[in-house]
Short mmCIF file of all heavy atoms in Angstrom, two decimals:
data_model
loop_
_atom_site.label_atom_id
_atom_site.label_comp_id
_atom_site.label_asym_id
_atom_site.label_seq_id
_atom_site.Cartn_x
_atom_site.Cartn_y
_atom_site.Cartn_z
N MET A 286 -4.17 -3.80 22.19
CA MET A 286 -5.08 -2.77 21.67
C MET A 286 -6.27 -2.59 22.61
O MET A 286 -6.66 -1.46 22.94
CB MET A 286 -5.58 -3.17 20.28
CG MET A 286 -6.59 -2.20 19.68
SD MET A 286 -7.49 -2.92 18.29
CE MET A 286 -8.56 -4.10 19.18
N ASP A 287 -6.84 -3.71 23.07
CA ASP A 287 -7.97 -3.63 24.01
C ASP A 287 -7.55 -2.92 25.30
O ASP A 287 -8.31 -2.10 25.85
CB ASP A 287 -8.48 -5.03 24.33
CG ASP A 287 -9.17 -5.69 23.15
OD1 ASP A 287 -9.62 -4.96 22.23
OD2 ASP A 287 -9.27 -6.94 23.12
N ALA A 288 -6.35 -3.23 25.78
CA ALA A 288 -5.87 -2.60 27.01
C ALA A 288 -5.70 -1.10 26.82
O ALA A 288 -6.03 -0.30 27.71
CB ALA A 288 -4.56 -3.24 27.44
N ALA A 289 -5.18 -0.71 25.66
CA ALA A 289 -4.98 0.72 25.38
C ALA A 289 -6.31 1.46 25.30
O ALA A 289 -6.46 2.57 25.80
CB ALA A 289 -4.19 0.89 24.09
N VAL A 290 -7.29 0.85 24.65
CA VAL A 290 -8.61 1.47 24.52
C VAL A 290 -9.28 1.61 25.89
O VAL A 290 -9.87 2.65 26.22
CB VAL A 290 -9.49 0.65 23.55
CG1 VAL A 290 -10.93 1.15 23.59
CG2 VAL A 290 -8.95 0.74 22.13
N ASN A 291 -9.20 0.57 26.70
CA ASN A 291 -9.79 0.62 28.04
C ASN A 291 -9.14 1.71 28.90
O ASN A 291 -9.83 2.46 29.60
CB ASN A 291 -9.68 -0.74 28.73
CG ASN A 291 -10.55 -1.80 28.09
OD1 ASN A 291 -11.56 -1.48 27.45
ND2 ASN A 291 -10.18 -3.06 28.24
N ALA A 292 -7.83 1.78 28.85
CA ALA A 292 -7.12 2.81 29.62
C ALA A 292 -7.47 4.20 29.12
O ALA A 292 -7.63 5.14 29.91
CB ALA A 292 -5.62 2.57 29.53
N SER A 293 -7.61 4.34 27.81
CA SER A 293 -7.98 5.63 27.24
C SER A 293 -9.38 6.05 27.70
O SER A 293 -9.61 7.23 28.04
CB SER A 293 -7.93 5.56 25.72
OG SER A 293 -8.38 6.78 25.13
N ASN A 294 -10.29 5.10 27.72
CA ASN A 294 -11.65 5.41 28.18
C ASN A 294 -11.65 5.85 29.63
O ASN A 294 -12.38 6.78 30.02
CB ASN A 294 -12.56 4.19 27.99
CG ASN A 294 -12.84 3.90 26.53
OD1 ASN A 294 -12.74 4.79 25.67
ND2 ASN A 294 -13.18 2.66 26.22
N ASP A 295 -10.83 5.20 30.46
CA ASP A 295 -10.72 5.60 31.86
C ASP A 295 -10.14 7.01 31.98
O ASP A 295 -10.56 7.80 32.84
CB ASP A 295 -9.84 4.62 32.63
CG ASP A 295 -10.50 3.25 32.80
OD1 ASP A 295 -11.75 3.18 32.67
OD2 ASP A 295 -9.78 2.26 33.05
N ALA A 296 -9.16 7.29 31.12
CA ALA A 296 -8.54 8.62 31.16
C ALA A 296 -9.54 9.72 30.77
O ALA A 296 -9.55 10.80 31.37
CB ALA A 296 -7.34 8.66 30.21
N LYS A 297 -10.40 9.42 29.81
CA LYS A 297 -11.32 10.44 29.30
C LYS A 297 -12.44 10.77 30.28
O LYS A 297 -13.12 11.79 30.11
CB LYS A 297 -11.90 9.99 27.96
CG LYS A 297 -10.87 10.04 26.82
CD LYS A 297 -11.49 9.75 25.47
CE LYS A 297 -11.88 8.31 25.32
NZ LYS A 297 -12.33 8.02 23.93
N VAL A 298 -12.66 9.94 31.29
CA VAL A 298 -13.69 10.24 32.29
C VAL A 298 -13.04 10.69 33.61
O VAL A 298 -13.75 10.88 34.60
CB VAL A 298 -14.61 9.02 32.54
CG1 VAL A 298 -15.35 8.66 31.28
CG2 VAL A 298 -13.81 7.82 33.06
N SER A 299 -11.74 10.85 33.60
CA SER A 299 -11.05 11.30 34.81
C SER A 299 -11.37 12.78 35.06
O SER A 299 -11.50 13.58 34.14
CB SER A 299 -9.54 11.12 34.67
OG SER A 299 -9.22 9.75 34.49
N LEU A 300 -11.46 13.14 36.36
CA LEU A 300 -11.81 14.51 36.73
C LEU A 300 -10.59 15.34 37.09
O LEU A 300 -10.68 16.57 37.16
CB LEU A 300 -12.80 14.48 37.91
CG LEU A 300 -14.12 13.77 37.64
CD1 LEU A 300 -15.00 13.79 38.88
CD2 LEU A 300 -14.85 14.39 36.45
N THR A 301 -9.48 14.67 37.34
CA THR A 301 -8.25 15.40 37.67
C THR A 301 -7.13 14.94 36.74
O THR A 301 -7.13 13.81 36.25
CB THR A 301 -7.82 15.17 39.13
OG1 THR A 301 -7.46 13.79 39.30
CG2 THR A 301 -8.95 15.53 40.07
N SER A 302 -6.15 15.81 36.57
CA SER A 302 -5.04 15.48 35.68
C SER A 302 -4.19 14.36 36.24
O SER A 302 -3.61 13.57 35.49
CB SER A 302 -4.19 16.73 35.43
OG SER A 302 -3.61 17.18 36.64
N ASP A 303 -4.09 14.29 37.57
CA ASP A 303 -3.27 13.22 38.17
C ASP A 303 -3.85 11.84 37.85
O ASP A 303 -3.12 10.93 37.45
CB ASP A 303 -3.19 13.41 39.69
CG ASP A 303 -2.33 14.60 40.08
OD1 ASP A 303 -1.54 15.05 39.22
OD2 ASP A 303 -2.44 15.07 41.22
N VAL A 304 -5.17 11.70 38.05
CA VAL A 304 -5.81 10.42 37.75
C VAL A 304 -5.73 10.14 36.25
O VAL A 304 -5.46 9.01 35.82
CB VAL A 304 -7.27 10.43 38.23
CG1 VAL A 304 -7.97 9.15 37.78
CG2 VAL A 304 -7.33 10.58 39.74
N CYS A 305 -5.96 11.18 35.46
CA CYS A 305 -5.91 11.02 34.01
C CYS A 305 -4.52 10.57 33.56
O CYS A 305 -4.39 9.69 32.70
CB CYS A 305 -6.28 12.34 33.33
SG CYS A 305 -6.33 12.24 31.53
N THR A 306 -3.49 11.14 34.13
CA THR A 306 -2.11 10.79 33.77
C THR A 306 -1.83 9.32 34.06
O THR A 306 -1.13 8.65 33.30
CB THR A 306 -1.12 11.68 34.53
OG1 THR A 306 -1.34 13.05 34.16
CG2 THR A 306 0.31 11.29 34.21
N THR A 307 -2.38 8.82 35.16
CA THR A 307 -2.20 7.40 35.49
C THR A 307 -2.75 6.52 34.37
O THR A 307 -2.10 5.55 33.94
CB THR A 307 -2.91 7.07 36.80
OG1 THR A 307 -2.33 7.83 37.86
CG2 THR A 307 -2.78 5.58 37.12
N HIS A 308 -3.93 6.86 33.88
CA HIS A 308 -4.55 6.06 32.81
C HIS A 308 -3.84 6.29 31.47
O HIS A 308 -3.75 5.36 30.65
CB HIS A 308 -6.03 6.39 32.71
CG HIS A 308 -6.81 6.05 33.94
ND1 HIS A 308 -6.73 4.82 34.55
CD2 HIS A 308 -7.67 6.80 34.69
CE1 HIS A 308 -7.51 4.79 35.61
NE2 HIS A 308 -8.10 5.99 35.72
#
Side-chain angles (χ1 to χ4, degrees):
M286 177 196 72
D287 291 339
V290 171
N291 291 335
S293 176
N294 290 337
D295 291 340
K297 288 187 289 187
V298 297
S299 298
L300 299 179
T301 66
S302 63
D303 289 342
V304 174
C305 183
T306 299
T307 298
H308 297 310

